Amino acid sequence: MIEVSLFKSIKAYSSTGRVELLDWLSPSNMYADIVKDLRNARAESERNRLKELLPGVTISCVCSNRQREKIISYTNLICIDIDGKDNPSISNMEQLKVTLGQLPYVMYCSLSASGKGVFCIIRYADWHHHKEHFYALEEDFRQMGVVVDSSCSDICRLRFYSYDPKPYVNKKAEIYSKTSKRLSKVNKTQKTPEQSLQMVESKIEREAKTNDGLSVEDMLLQPSNLDAVNIFYISPTDEVKRIVQYVINRRIDITNGYRAWRKIGLVIKQVYGKNGREQFHKVSQFYPTYTPEETNQLYDFIEEHGYPTEYSNIRKIAEKYIGSREISEILTG
């Protein structure tokens, strides 16, 4: 039995009491009809009005109001929101729900109130490290090609009621134990934004001693200072697209071996969405015994049974044929 705090609506300041979480999430909840009306509403004003009628719970804690200092106890649960707007390549949220249910640490997965997203409830190891657990989950999902709502890091965050006749429930889900500090992904030879900012500030302080006549704005416009904040960043999806395009342009076969070929297909599907099949054929065509029929068969299987996978798999495979140094040049060039 997991108790959480109940709030009448998004505008409610104080909790109205406690509820048992899984009972509250039940499809037979009295608010199911409001959710159905919300999903059928066309006008945004009507959707917003209906949202305000929905109650919510604080998944991660029991509290008298949604402030950290008002927390009474902790559930060691976190709710991860995945919005369709943030994931345009994901067209079938129902299928995403089923796919995420394969992850061993997902305890509950359901469609969101709008029906245009999903949310997952995950049991984690230590509430003292709530944000660190969230950052690790955020990175894990990003590697699988899924963008999660960053506001989920708030331990007092409210989760609206949502109706789903077939939610995924696993009461024996594994406890998620990974933690991570939030760090920007940069090339190892580059500085992090914090380090670069310190460099700029330090440089300004040093030069201010010999350039008393220059304003801070003028000094920041000097090329030597601008060079200090030249930070390299490439997203995981861009990494995949650059590698795929390079392989196609250079006509390099990286699909030798069924397992590697399948991993490539999984990554391509996640990154390219509806255009994935076409890209998969373009990458596969350089295999000596390539046939469109066999390639379509594998991609059909991936579309029906595919599961989230790490984007980095395609880089690891490509490095065997291209070399790690050349891959780095492709990504930084």
mmCIF file of all heavy atoms in Angstrom, residues 7 23 60 102 132 142 160 184 311:
data_model
loop_
_atom_site.group_PDB
_atom_site.id
_atom_site.type_symbol
_atom_site.label_atom_id
_atom_site.label_comp_id
_atom_site.label_asym_id
_atom_site.label_seq_id
_atom_site.Cartn_x
_atom_site.Cartn_y
_atom_site.Cartn_z
ATOM 1 N N PHE A 7 -4.640 16.442 -3.988
ATOM 2 C CA PHE A 7 -4.965 17.850 -4.153
ATOM 3 C C PHE A 7 -6.164 17.971 -5.090
ATOM 4 O O PHE A 7 -6.241 17.268 -6.102
ATOM 5 C CB PHE A 7 -3.765 18.609 -4.719
ATOM 6 C CG PHE A 7 -2.623 18.745 -3.745
ATOM 7 C CD1 PHE A 7 -1.749 17.683 -3.517
ATOM 8 C CD2 PHE A 7 -2.434 19.922 -3.045
ATOM 9 C CE1 PHE A 7 -0.706 17.789 -2.611
ATOM 10 C CE2 PHE A 7 -1.389 20.044 -2.135
ATOM 11 C CZ PHE A 7 -0.528 18.982 -1.913
ATOM 12 N N ASP A 23 -5.111 2.584 -6.168
ATOM 13 C CA ASP A 23 -6.572 2.722 -6.190
ATOM 14 C C ASP A 23 -6.969 4.007 -6.907
ATOM 15 O O ASP A 23 -7.926 4.042 -7.692
ATOM 16 C CB ASP A 23 -7.139 2.743 -4.768
ATOM 17 C CG ASP A 23 -7.150 1.362 -4.129
ATOM 18 O OD1 ASP A 23 -6.947 0.372 -4.863
ATOM 19 O OD2 ASP A 23 -7.358 1.277 -2.904
ATOM 20 N N SER A 60 5.760 11.495 -5.304
ATOM 21 C CA SER A 60 7.026 11.254 -4.598
ATOM 22 C C SER A 60 6.965 11.462 -3.091
ATOM 23 O O SER A 60 7.928 11.126 -2.393
ATOM 24 C CB SER A 60 8.128 12.146 -5.181
ATOM 25 O OG SER A 60 8.329 11.856 -6.548
ATOM 26 N N GLN A 102 8.403 -2.856 -20.849
ATOM 27 C CA GLN A 102 9.432 -3.896 -20.865
ATOM 28 C C GLN A 102 10.634 -3.535 -19.993
ATOM 29 O O GLN A 102 11.449 -4.403 -19.676
ATOM 30 C CB GLN A 102 9.894 -4.138 -22.304
ATOM 31 C CG GLN A 102 8.792 -4.629 -23.235
ATOM 32 C CD GLN A 102 9.288 -4.790 -24.668
ATOM 33 O OE1 GLN A 102 10.395 -5.266 -24.895
ATOM 34 N NE2 GLN A 102 8.492 -4.396 -25.629
ATOM 35 N N GLU A 132 19.238 13.384 -8.353
ATOM 36 C CA GLU A 132 20.293 12.603 -8.994
ATOM 37 C C GLU A 132 19.728 11.362 -9.689
ATOM 38 O O GLU A 132 20.192 10.971 -10.758
ATOM 39 C CB GLU A 132 21.349 12.190 -7.964
ATOM 40 C CG GLU A 132 22.219 13.339 -7.475
ATOM 41 C CD GLU A 132 21.627 14.049 -6.271
ATOM 42 O OE1 GLU A 132 20.406 13.863 -6.015
ATOM 43 O OE2 GLU A 132 22.357 14.767 -5.572
ATOM 44 N N ARG A 142 16.941 9.490 -22.688
ATOM 45 C CA ARG A 142 17.487 10.210 -23.844
ATOM 46 C C ARG A 142 18.267 9.270 -24.743
ATOM 47 O O ARG A 142 18.181 9.345 -25.970
ATOM 48 C CB ARG A 142 18.388 11.357 -23.374
ATOM 49 C CG ARG A 142 18.901 12.224 -24.526
ATOM 50 C CD ARG A 142 19.879 13.280 -24.051
ATOM 51 N NE ARG A 142 19.243 14.246 -23.183
ATOM 52 C CZ ARG A 142 19.536 14.425 -21.904
ATOM 53 N NH1 ARG A 142 20.476 13.685 -21.339
ATOM 54 N NH2 ARG A 142 18.913 15.323 -21.191
ATOM 55 N N PHE A 160 -1.577 14.735 -12.429
ATOM 56 C CA PHE A 160 -3.023 14.744 -12.648
ATOM 57 C C PHE A 160 -3.570 13.331 -12.819
ATOM 58 O O PHE A 160 -2.868 12.426 -13.285
ATOM 59 C CB PHE A 160 -3.378 15.542 -13.909
ATOM 60 C CG PHE A 160 -3.147 17.014 -13.775
ATOM 61 C CD1 PHE A 160 -2.181 17.645 -14.534
ATOM 62 C CD2 PHE A 160 -3.891 17.768 -12.896
ATOM 63 C CE1 PHE A 160 -1.970 19.001 -14.423
ATOM 64 C CE2 PHE A 160 -3.693 19.127 -12.768
ATOM 65 C CZ PHE A 160 -2.728 19.748 -13.536
ATOM 66 N N SER A 184 26.615 18.977 -18.581
ATOM 67 C CA SER A 184 26.402 19.133 -20.005
ATOM 68 C C SER A 184 27.271 18.142 -20.746
ATOM 69 O O SER A 184 28.409 17.880 -20.363
ATOM 70 C CB SER A 184 26.763 20.550 -20.451
ATOM 71 O OG SER A 184 25.909 21.473 -19.832
ATOM 72 N N TYR A 311 21.206 5.124 -28.269
ATOM 73 C CA TYR A 311 21.659 5.695 -29.531
ATOM 74 C C TYR A 311 23.121 5.378 -29.796
ATOM 75 O O TYR A 311 23.550 5.257 -30.941
ATOM 76 C CB TYR A 311 21.487 7.215 -29.501
ATOM 77 C CG TYR A 311 20.070 7.698 -29.670
ATOM 78 C CD1 TYR A 311 19.013 6.804 -29.805
ATOM 79 C CD2 TYR A 311 19.780 9.063 -29.704
ATOM 80 C CE1 TYR A 311 17.725 7.266 -29.964
ATOM 81 C CE2 TYR A 311 18.482 9.526 -29.870
ATOM 82 C CZ TYR A 311 17.464 8.625 -29.995
ATOM 83 O OH TYR A 311 16.183 9.062 -30.163
#
